[in-house]
Amino acid sequence: MMNIIAQTKRLILRQFEIGDLDDLYRIYCSGDVRRFIEPMTDDYEAEKEKLASYIYYMYGFYGFGLFAVCKKDSGKLIGRCGVWMTELDGEPEMEIGYMIESDEQRKGYGLESVMAVIDFVREETDAKRLIARIHKDNQASQALALKAGFIKGDTLSSEHQMDLYTYELIRSNDG
């Protein structure tokens, strides 16, 4: 059963399913995707258990999380985009993350999926702002955040041995 979160002109964003694991491995291994994210392990069964737990707890408890980004015309899973709760400077925050497989980059799918998730956050949550933490060398992701309306913060922070810039999108008063 597909639990669709959003649809755009070319994409469907839906909750992940256990059957997506092979596609996730393909995406995580494509091009330089691994350069800016934590890789999946070689332990398929452990990753399967992690995905099952993620599906059960994230969607079940929060009603949101990272979503599968699929092409509408073919159903092909090409990435992930979504939000989760995190902490920044000791305060709870909602953070957005996105990743599109290498072969499908530079076609507008990243921005299309990010805008769909921003709409989802505005409609389904009361979050006052949305943050994105982006590796200092990930210029494509930084450019996408700016196109989506995020504003770059002044400071560089470090997490998981990566230097990250924080971007923020403040919720407007009209929604």
Side-chain angles (χ1 to χ4, degrees):
M1 182 181 114
M2 225 189 313
N3 198 341
I4 295 175
I5 302 305
Q7 293 189 55
T8 68
K9 183 178 177 183
R10 302 179 299 162
L11 301 172
I12 292 173
L13 278 71
R14 61 169 174 77
Q15 291 182 353
F16 277 105
E17 302 166 349
I18 292 297
D20 293 326
L21 190 57
D22 289 342
D23 285 328
L24 284 170
Y25 268 103
R26 175 182 47 78
I27 293 165
Y28 272 75
C29 292
S30 70
D32 67 351
V33 166
R34 285 191 207 199
R35 187 171 166 210
F36 301 117
I37 60 169
E38 292 184 57
M40 295 175 75
T41 68
D42 291 333
D43 186 340
Y44 188 87
E45 289 304 314
E47 290 294 339
K48 189 174 182 179
E49 285 179 29
K50 278 197 259 182
L51 181 58
S53 179
Y54 186 87
I55 291 166
Y56 182 80
Y57 289 105
M58 284 300 289
Y59 303 147
F61 184 74
Y62 290 107
F64 55 78
L66 288 170
F67 303 119
V69 176
C70 304
K71 291 172 91 172
K72 200 180 254 186
D73 61 358
S74 66
K76 178 185 177 191
L77 195 155
I78 61 167
R80 63 174 172 81
C81 184
V83 291
W84 59 91
M85 293 307 298
T86 190
E87 194 173 287
L88 182 66
D89 300 327
E91 296 295 321
E93 296 284 354
M94 185 169 279
E95 184 170 356
I96 190 169
Y98 43 89
M99 173 186 68
I100 301 294
E101 75 175 278
S102 292
D103 292 348
E104 300 292 350
Q105 291 177 1
R106 294 173 180 65
K107 297 178 182 177
Y109 295 128
L111 183 60
E112 203 170 315
S113 62
V114 165
M115 296 309 292
V117 169
I118 289 170
D119 287 345
F120 171 84
V121 168
R122 286 182 174 143
E123 293 167 13
E124 302 294 330
T125 78
D126 60 356
K128 301 291 183 243
R129 76 175 185 163
L130 191 55
I131 65 166
R133 288 186 270 197
I134 303 170
H135 191 280
K136 67 179 177 71
D137 296 331
N138 192 344
Q139 294 176 349
S141 193
Q142 291 179 42
L144 190 156
L146 293 172
K147 280 183 194 172
F150 284 78
I151 298 168
K152 184 178 180 182
D154 297 332
T155 58
L156 190 64
S157 63
S158 188
E159 187 172 308
H160 305 293
Q161 288 98 32
M162 290 191 279
D163 292 327
L164 308 170
Y165 285 115
T166 299
Y167 289 73
E168 70 175 354
L169 181 67
I170 306 292
R171 184 181 207 129
S172 63
N173 290 331
D174 59 0

